[in-house]
Coordinates of all heavy atoms in Angstrom, one line a residue:
H1 N 5.6 -4.1 -10.9 CA 6.8 -4.2 -11.8 C 6.7 -5.3 -12.8 O 7.2 -5.2 -13.9 CB 8.0 -4.5 -10.9 CG 8.2 -3.5 -9.8 ND1 8.7 -2.2 -9.9 CD2 8.0 -3.6 -8.4 CE1 8.7 -1.6 -8.8 NE2 8.3 -2.4 -7.9
Q2 N 5.9 -6.3 -12.5 CA 5.7 -7.4 -13.5 C 4.8 -7.0 -14.6 O 4.9 -7.3 -15.8 CB 5.1 -8.7 -12.8 CG 6.1 -9.4 -11.9 CD 5.4 -10.6 -11.3 OE1 4.9 -10.6 -10.2 NE2 5.5 -11.7 -12.0
Y3 N 3.7 -6.2 -14.2 CA 2.6 -5.9 -15.2 C 2.4 -4.4 -15.2 O 1.3 -3.9 -14.7 CB 1.4 -6.7 -14.9 CG 1.6 -8.1 -14.6 CD1 1.4 -8.7 -13.4 CD2 2.1 -9.0 -15.6 CE1 1.6 -10.0 -13.1 CE2 2.4 -10.3 -15.4 CZ 2.1 -10.8 -14.1 OH 2.4 -12.1 -13.8
P4 N 3.4 -3.6 -15.6 CA 3.2 -2.1 -15.5 C 2.1 -1.5 -16.3 O 1.5 -0.6 -15.8 CB 4.6 -1.6 -16.0 CG 5.1 -2.7 -16.9 CD 4.6 -4.0 -16.2
R5 N 1.7 -2.1 -17.4 CA 0.6 -1.6 -18.2 C -0.7 -1.7 -17.5 O -1.5 -0.8 -17.5 CB 0.6 -2.4 -19.6 CG 1.7 -2.1 -20.5 CD 1.6 -2.8 -21.8 NE 2.7 -2.6 -22.7 CZ 2.8 -3.1 -23.9 NH1 1.8 -3.8 -24.4 NH2 3.8 -2.8 -24.7
I6 N -0.9 -2.9 -16.8 CA -2.1 -3.1 -16.0 C -2.3 -2.0 -15.0 O -3.3 -1.4 -14.8 CB -2.2 -4.5 -15.5 CG1 -2.2 -5.5 -16.6 CG2 -3.4 -4.6 -14.6 CD1 -2.2 -6.9 -16.1
F7 N -1.2 -1.8 -14.2 CA -1.2 -0.8 -13.1 C -1.2 0.6 -13.6 O -1.6 1.5 -12.8 CB -0.1 -1.1 -12.1 CG -0.3 -2.3 -11.2 CD1 -0.1 -3.6 -11.7 CD2 -0.9 -2.1 -10.0 CE1 -0.4 -4.7 -10.9 CE2 -1.1 -3.2 -9.1 CZ -0.9 -4.5 -9.6
K8 N -0.6 0.8 -14.7 CA -0.6 2.2 -15.3 C -2.1 2.6 -15.6 O -2.4 3.8 -15.5 CB 0.2 2.3 -16.5 CG 0.4 3.7 -17.0 CD 1.4 3.7 -18.2 CE 1.5 5.1 -18.8 NZ 2.5 5.2 -19.9
A9 N -2.9 1.7 -16.0 CA -4.3 2.0 -16.4 C -5.1 2.3 -15.2 O -6.1 3.0 -15.3 CB -4.9 0.8 -17.2
A10 N -4.7 1.7 -14.0 CA -5.5 1.9 -12.8 C -5.1 3.3 -12.2 O -3.9 3.7 -12.2 CB -5.2 0.8 -11.8
R11 N -6.0 4.0 -11.7 CA -5.7 5.4 -11.2 C -5.1 5.3 -9.8 O -4.2 6.1 -9.5 CB -7.1 6.2 -11.0 CG -7.7 6.5 -12.3 CD -8.9 7.4 -12.1 NE -9.5 7.8 -13.4 CZ -10.6 8.6 -13.5 NH1 -11.2 9.0 -12.4 NH2 -11.0 8.9 -14.7
E12 N -5.4 4.3 -9.0 CA -4.7 4.1 -7.8 C -4.8 2.6 -7.3 O -5.7 1.9 -7.7 CB -5.3 5.0 -6.7 CG -6.8 4.8 -6.4 CD -7.3 5.7 -5.4 OE1 -6.5 6.4 -4.7 OE2 -8.5 5.8 -5.2
N13 N -3.9 2.2 -6.5 CA -3.8 0.9 -6.1 C -5.0 0.5 -5.2 O -5.5 1.4 -4.4 CB -2.5 0.7 -5.3 CG -2.1 -0.8 -5.1 OD1 -3.0 -1.6 -4.8 ND2 -0.9 -1.1 -5.4
E14 N -5.5 -0.7 -5.3 CA -6.6 -1.2 -4.5 C -6.2 -1.1 -3.0 O -7.1 -0.8 -2.2 CB -7.0 -2.6 -4.9 CG -7.6 -2.7 -6.2 CD -9.0 -1.9 -6.3 OE1 -9.7 -1.9 -5.3 OE2 -9.2 -1.4 -7.4
V15 N -5.0 -1.4 -2.7 CA -4.6 -1.3 -1.3 C -4.7 0.2 -0.8 O -5.2 0.4 0.4 CB -3.1 -1.7 -1.1 CG1 -2.6 -1.5 0.3 CG2 -3.0 -3.2 -1.5
E16 N -4.3 1.1 -1.6 CA -4.5 2.5 -1.2 C -6.0 2.9 -1.0 O -6.3 3.6 -0.1 CB -3.9 3.4 -2.3 CG -2.4 3.3 -2.5 CD -1.6 3.8 -1.4 OE1 -2.2 4.5 -0.6 OE2 -0.4 3.4 -1.2
K17 N -6.8 2.4 -1.9 CA -8.2 2.6 -1.7 C -8.8 2.1 -0.3 O -9.5 2.8 0.4 CB -9.1 2.0 -2.8 CG -8.8 2.6 -4.2 CD -9.7 1.9 -5.2 CE -9.5 2.5 -6.6 NZ -10.3 1.8 -7.6
L18 N -8.3 0.9 0.0 CA -8.8 0.3 1.2 C -8.3 1.1 2.4 O -9.0 1.3 3.4 CB -8.3 -1.2 1.3 CG -9.0 -2.1 0.3 CD1 -8.3 -3.5 0.4 CD2 -10.5 -2.2 0.6
I19 N -7.0 1.5 2.4 CA -6.5 2.3 3.5 C -7.2 3.6 3.6 O -7.5 4.0 4.8 CB -5.0 2.5 3.2 CG1 -4.2 1.2 3.4 CG2 -4.4 3.6 4.2 CD1 -2.7 1.3 3.1
K20 N -7.5 4.3 2.5 CA -8.2 5.6 2.6 C -9.6 5.4 3.1 O -10.1 6.2 3.9 CB -8.2 6.2 1.2 CG -6.9 6.8 0.7 CD -7.0 7.4 -0.6 CE -5.6 7.9 -1.1 NZ -5.7 8.6 -2.4
K21 N -10.2 4.3 2.7 CA -11.6 4.1 3.1 C -11.6 3.8 4.6 O -12.5 4.3 5.4 CB -12.2 2.9 2.4 CG -13.6 2.5 2.8 CD -14.1 1.4 1.9 CE -15.6 1.1 2.3 NZ -16.1 -0.1 1.5
A22 N -10.7 3.0 5.1 CA -10.6 2.7 6.6 C -10.3 3.9 7.4 O -10.8 4.1 8.4 CB -9.6 1.6 6.8
A23 N -9.4 4.8 6.8 CA -9.0 6.0 7.5 C -10.2 6.9 7.7 O -10.4 7.6 8.7 CB -7.8 6.6 6.8
T24 N -11.0 7.0 6.6 CA -12.2 7.9 6.6 C -13.2 7.4 7.6 O -13.7 8.2 8.4 CB -12.8 8.0 5.2 OG1 -11.8 8.4 4.3 CG2 -14.0 8.9 5.2
Q25 N -13.4 6.1 7.6 CA -14.4 5.6 8.6 C -14.0 5.8 10.0 O -14.8 6.1 10.9 CB -14.6 4.1 8.3 CG -15.3 3.7 7.0 CD -15.4 2.3 6.7 OE1 -14.7 1.5 7.3 NE2 -16.2 1.9 5.7
R26 N -12.7 5.6 10.3 CA -12.2 5.7 11.6 C -12.2 7.2 12.0 O -12.5 7.5 13.2 CB -10.7 5.2 11.7 CG -10.2 5.3 13.1 CD -9.0 4.4 13.3 NE -9.4 3.0 13.2 CZ -8.6 2.0 13.6 NH1 -7.5 2.2 14.3 NH2 -9.0 0.8 13.4
Q27 N -11.9 8.1 11.1 CA -12.0 9.5 11.4 C -13.4 10.0 11.8 O -13.6 10.8 12.7 CB -11.4 10.4 10.3 CG -11.3 11.8 10.5 CD -10.3 12.1 11.6 OE1 -9.3 11.4 11.7 NE2 -10.6 13.1 12.5
V28 N -14.4 9.4 11.0 CA -15.8 9.8 11.3 C -16.1 9.3 12.8 O -16.8 10.0 13.6 CB -16.7 9.2 10.3 CG1 -18.2 9.3 10.7 CG2 -16.5 9.8 8.9
K29 N -15.8 8.1 13.1 CA -16.0 7.5 14.4 C -15.3 8.4 15.5 O -15.9 8.6 16.6 CB -15.6 6.1 14.5 CG -16.4 5.1 13.6 CD -15.9 3.7 13.8 CE -16.7 2.7 13.0 NZ -16.2 1.3 13.1
H30 N -14.1 8.8 15.2 CA -13.4 9.6 16.2 C -14.0 10.9 16.4 O -14.2 11.4 17.5 CB -11.9 9.8 15.7 CG -11.2 10.9 16.4 ND1 -10.9 10.9 17.7 CD2 -10.7 12.1 15.9 CE1 -10.3 12.0 18.1 NE2 -10.2 12.7 17.0
N31 N -14.5 11.6 15.3 CA -15.2 12.8 15.5 C -16.4 12.7 16.3 O -16.8 13.6 17.1 CB -15.5 13.4 14.1 CG -14.3 13.8 13.3 OD1 -13.2 14.0 13.9 ND2 -14.4 13.9 12.0
K32 N -17.2 11.7 16.1 CA -18.4 11.5 16.9 C -18.1 11.2 18.4 O -18.7 11.7 19.2 CB -19.2 10.2 16.3 CG -19.8 10.5 15.0 CD -20.6 9.3 14.5 CE -21.3 9.5 13.2 NZ -22.0 8.3 12.7
R33 N -17.0 10.4 18.6 CA -16.6 10.1 20.0 C -16.1 11.4 20.7 O -16.4 11.6 21.8 CB -15.5 9.1 19.9 CG -15.6 8.1 21.1 CD -14.7 6.9 21.0 NE -13.5 7.1 20.3 CZ -13.2 6.3 19.2 NH1 -14.0 5.4 18.7 NH2 -12.1 6.5 18.6
G34 N -15.4 12.3 19.9 CA -14.9 13.5 20.4 C -16.0 14.5 20.8 O -15.9 15.1 21.9
K35 N -17.0 14.5 20.0 CA -18.2 15.4 20.3 C -18.9 14.9 21.6 O -19.2 15.7 22.4 CB -19.1 15.5 19.1 CG -18.5 16.2 18.0 CD -19.6 16.2 16.8 CE -19.0 16.9 15.6 NZ -20.0 16.9 14.5
N36 N -19.1 13.7 21.7 CA -19.8 13.1 22.8 C -19.0 13.3 24.1 O -19.5 13.7 25.2 CB -20.0 11.6 22.7 CG -21.0 11.3 21.5 OD1 -21.8 12.2 21.2 ND2 -20.9 10.1 21.0
R37 N -17.6 13.1 24.0 CA -16.8 13.3 25.2 C -16.8 14.8 25.6 O -16.8 15.1 26.8 CB -15.4 12.8 24.9 CG -14.5 12.8 26.1 CD -13.1 12.2 25.8 NE -13.2 10.8 25.6 CZ -13.1 9.9 26.5 NH1 -13.0 10.3 27.8 NH2 -13.2 8.6 26.3
T38 N -16.7 15.7 24.6 CA -16.6 17.1 25.0 C -17.9 17.6 25.7 O -17.9 18.3 26.6 CB -16.4 17.9 23.7 OG1 -15.2 17.5 23.1 CG2 -16.3 19.4 24.0
S39 N -19.0 17.1 25.2 CA -20.3 17.5 25.8 C -20.5 16.9 27.2 O -21.2 17.5 28.0 CB -21.4 17.1 24.9 OG -21.5 15.7 24.8
S40 N -19.8 15.8 27.5 CA -20.1 15.1 28.8 C -19.1 15.6 29.8 O -19.3 15.3 31.0 CB -20.0 13.6 28.6 OG -18.7 13.2 28.1
T41 N -17.9 16.2 29.4 CA -17.0 16.6 30.4 C -17.3 18.1 30.8 O -17.6 18.9 30.0 CB -15.5 16.6 29.8 OG1 -15.5 17.3 28.6 CG2 -15.1 15.1 29.5
S42 N -17.0 18.3 32.2 CA -17.4 19.7 32.7 C -16.2 20.6 32.6 O -16.3 21.8 32.2 CB -17.9 19.6 34.1 OG -16.9 18.9 34.9
G43 N -15.0 20.1 33.0 CA -13.8 21.0 33.0 C -13.1 21.1 31.7 O -12.4 22.1 31.5
G44 N -13.3 20.2 30.9 CA -12.6 20.2 29.6 C -11.1 19.9 29.7 O -10.4 20.1 28.8
G45 N -10.6 19.4 30.9 CA -9.3 19.0 31.0 C -8.9 17.7 30.4 O -7.7 17.5 30.2
M46 N -9.8 16.8 30.1 CA -9.5 15.5 29.6 C -9.5 15.6 28.1 O -10.4 16.2 27.5 CB -10.5 14.5 30.0 CG -10.5 14.3 31.5 SD -11.7 13.0 32.0 CE -11.1 11.6 31.1

């Protein structure tokens, strides 16, 4: 609100970039963990 011209020139907020980056990294780790857990469980109930 103080410097709208500066932020208008930026495509997205740095905070948003960090959040998206962290979410992507966590999703990749979750996918790897899910594959490992699926392959190690026999009944698939967990």
Side-chain angles (χ1 to χ4, degrees):
H1 305 287
Q2 288 182 266
Y3 315 115
R5 292 183 180 179
I6 297 177
F7 281 83
K8 185 178 181 180
R11 293 185 177 180
E12 57 182 351
N13 196 312
E14 290 298 324
V15 176
E16 297 291 342
K17 291 182 180 179
L18 292 175
I19 291 177
K20 289 181 179 179
K21 182 177 180 181
T24 302
Q25 292 176 347
R26 182 162 298 199
Q27 186 62 38
V28 170
K29 291 180 180 179
H30 164 63
N31 293 339
K32 290 182 179 179
R33 215 170 28 239
K35 291 179 181 179
N36 294 337
R37 183 177 293 274
T38 302
S39 61
S40 61
T41 54
S42 55
M46 297 180 61

